[in-house]
């Protein structure tokens, strides 16, 4: 677990009144009798993290958020300024957003015929440069902090999310507390899904929270339910924190609420307008809100996630996870020691049932009855530098899925398939500015910087090779579909 | 690694990356030495296709394992992933690897489960689950993708997915950089 000495220091700094100390000990005793000392240590951890540099998760979170693109947290009012615990620079990788393409992963090297699910994924997420940094990292962190505070408030000892994000406590202190207060009022009465602890905890808990403030509440969201719920009464009593409550409260509940004001202690749950006090519906409502929050969080992580529909959002999430896993697989293959290994690896691909008009030099599949010219092209592949390696493997992955469904999927996504001759013409004529647009999902803006010098010649090389292989192959239906789908986005 | 701040205090995100990078590089070296030993003993061609496939599979597994270890058994998906890797190792190698850490993982798993949401053990209908999300085909697909997803309700599944995506992105980035370094 966390180093205990640090926690003790943090705790001692927090404890400014002996009564609070005593109450903490009382609380600890209560805790220890009801469950293990885990909760105690977690409280330590939580309180310590209130002052200490944020532990494991939140900087990780910031890092991830920064590298994964700017979020849209306008509704939560995320400040674009630095958050107090932000100790790192805003550009961790030295890469701006989408401005430093990896040579071996430039999208325009991915050929114009993604036949495969993996190709779909690759083309869909091509513009999402994982290595790209983001300037609004602190905004992301701040917004994520608030969002996770939300989660903590609503997740009564439910998720492990509370564990990591206790470090985010300092910032939206009052907000979260007001939020927490309100939600506590909702569930304190008659919520069947939560067990309420012995009432003996109440006084101790109240003193505890008087001493430690709202931040610890958020952290304690991770603690078991029994620790949470006596706060319903005690928190209601601490109304000095409820000042900024309304800002967050609105996000939680419809505004027509006739009850659950943070101003007075409310032992009883008042019904919102048009809703019953039925504990099941309340629990269900909370649950739906929680799900919505998590979906929002995921929306920030997944690129191209401007879908409001939950089902399509899930689709995007699934696709993105598959894409990332595919990237790991491809990278692990390219790790085998350079170009020398590429050729045999590439030869390995061809008997694996690769299909179709393989734009890549390596393989054409036998499963679809197409002629395999892979071997002749292997030499060219081997001679190409490693910047092409990853892309090649990635494309080699294309040949694993059914082509027809892949094509339909592509068309549904608004991607453009084009005949190789057309692609060749375009790439040679208009160079790099066109390349990103050829395969891109129309959501993605063309990345001008991706079209560097080396990439376009390689593109044309690829298309030339594929022209030789593709046209030679029995790809009649393919090319017809290609022609058909060209018309869509253009 | 070009972008890890060596001169400054490492925050936790960086420490995660550094941990992962270190473990992964160590596994790479281990695989490489094992490969050369194997080749020395049995003069089999290192570039046969099946050999390469197996090696890449091994590398991939090592990547996931390094990541899961770097993150630690805090999250449900890392625990599930570590368990799966351990079982696989046991099954394939017939020798116990890292027994102590496995025991630690299991212990922590039990402890963490105590704090799980009370609704977890109730059937979906009793939970008042009117949301379609819990048994959608899409959620099923997501459950398959995220390690340990089969045993979670939709709430924790989404949460774990978010963290999993973050870690995957970091993993891809680090592996990418390593590949760049190795190929230059």
């Amino acid at each position: 677990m966390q180093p205990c000495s640090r926690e003790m220091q943090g705790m001692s700094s927090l404890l400014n009144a002996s009564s609070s100390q005593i109450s903490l000990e009382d609380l600890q005793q209560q805790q220890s009798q009801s469950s293990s000392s885990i909760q105690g240590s977690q409280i330590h951890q939580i309180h310590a993290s209130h002052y200490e540099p944020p532990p494991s998760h939140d900087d990780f979170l910031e890092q991830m958020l920064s590298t994964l693109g700017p979020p849209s947290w306008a509704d939560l009012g995320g400040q674009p300024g630095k958050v107090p615990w932000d100790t790192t620079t805003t550009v961790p990788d030295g890469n701006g957003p989408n401005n430093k393409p990896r040579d071996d992963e430039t999208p325009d090297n991915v050929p114009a015929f993604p036949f495969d699910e993996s190709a779909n994924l690759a083309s869909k997420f091509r513009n999402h440069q994982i290595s790209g940094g983001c300037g609004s990292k602190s905004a992301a962190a701040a917004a994520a902090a608030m969002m996770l505070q939300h989660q903590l408030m609503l997740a009564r000892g439910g998720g492990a999310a509370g564990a990591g994000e206790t470090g985010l406590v300092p910032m939206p202190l009052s907000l979260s507390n007001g939020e927490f207060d309100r939600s506590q009022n909702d569930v304190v009465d008659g919520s069947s899904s939560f067990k309420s602890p012995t009432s003996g905890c109440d006084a101790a808990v109240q003193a505890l929270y008087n001493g430690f403030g709202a931040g610890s509440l958020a952290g304690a969201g991770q603690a078991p339910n029994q620790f949470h719920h006596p706060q319903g009464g005690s928190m209601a009593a601490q109304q000095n924190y409820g000042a900024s409550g309304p800002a967050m409260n609105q996000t939680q509940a419809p505004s027509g609420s006739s009850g659950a004001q943070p101003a007075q202690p409310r032992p009883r749950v008042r019904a919102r307008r048009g809703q019953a006090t039925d504990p099941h519906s309340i629990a269900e409502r909370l649950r739906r809100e929680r799900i919505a929050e998590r979906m929002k969080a995921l929306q920030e992580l997944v690129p191209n996630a401007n879908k409001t529909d939950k089902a399509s959002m899930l689709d995007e999430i699934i696709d993105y996870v598959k894409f990332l896993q595919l990237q790991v697989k491809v990278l692990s293959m390219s790790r085998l020691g350079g170009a020398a290994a590429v050729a045999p690896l590439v030869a390995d691909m061809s008997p694996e049932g690769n299909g179709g008009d393989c734009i890549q030099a390596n393989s054409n599949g036998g499963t679809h009855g197409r002629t395999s010219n892979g071997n002749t092209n292997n030499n060219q592949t081997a001679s190409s530098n490693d910047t092409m390696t990853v892309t090649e493997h990635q494309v080699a992955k294309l040949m694993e899925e059914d082509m027809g469904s892949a094509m339909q999927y592509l068309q549904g996504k608004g991607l453009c398939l084009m005949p190789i001759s057309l692609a060749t013409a375009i790439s040679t004529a208009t160079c790099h500015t066109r390349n990103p647009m050829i395969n891109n999902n129309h959501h993605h803006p063309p990345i001008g910087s991706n079209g560097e010098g080396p990439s376009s010649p390689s593109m044309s090389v690829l298309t030339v090779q594929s022209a030789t292989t593709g046209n030679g192959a029995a790809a009649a239906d393919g090319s017809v579909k290609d022609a058909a789908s060209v018309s869509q986005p253009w | 690694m070009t972008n890890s701040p060596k001169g400054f205090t490492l925050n936790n995100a960086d420490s995660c990356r550094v941990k992962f990078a270190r473990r992964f590089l160590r596994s790479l070296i281990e695989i490489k030495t094992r490969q050369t030993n194997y080749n020395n003993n049995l003069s089999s061609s290192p570039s046969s296709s099946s050999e390469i496939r197996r090696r890449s599979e091994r590398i991939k597994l090592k990547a996931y394992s390094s990541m899961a270890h770097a993150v630690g058994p805090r999250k449900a998906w890392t625990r599930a992933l570590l368990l799966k890797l351990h079982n696989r190792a046991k099954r394939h190698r017939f020798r116990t690897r890292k027994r102590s850490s496995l025991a630690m993982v299991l212990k922590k798993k039990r402890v963490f489960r105590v704090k799980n949401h009370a609704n977890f053990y109730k059937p979906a209908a009793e939970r008042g689950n009117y949301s379609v999300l819990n048994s959608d085909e899409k959620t099923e697909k997501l459950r398959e993708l995220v390690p340990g997803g089969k045993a979670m309700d939709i709430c924790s599944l989404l949460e774990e997915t978010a963290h999993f995506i973050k870690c995957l992105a970091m993993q891809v980035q680090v592996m990418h950089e390593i590949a760049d370094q190795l190929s230059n």
Side-chain angles (χ1 to χ4, degrees), chain A residues 70-83:
Chain A
S72 57
W73 283 96
D75 53 342
L76 282 189
Q79 297 294 329
K82 288 263 183 199
V83 297

Side-chain angles (χ1 to χ4, degrees), chain B residues 78-106:
Chain B
T78 55
R79 293 193 291 269
L81 188 58
L82 286 172
L83 263 182
K84 181 180 90 167
L85 290 168
H86 277 113
N87 290 340
R88 173 194 276 259
K90 262 202 293 186
R91 244 185 303 128
H92 286 197
R93 310 291 173 125
F94 301 111
R95 83 186 148 175
T96 64
R97 289 202 287 181
K98 301 176 189 173
R99 261 293 164 81
S100 57
S101 59
L102 173 61
M104 260 178 3
V105 164
L106 286 177

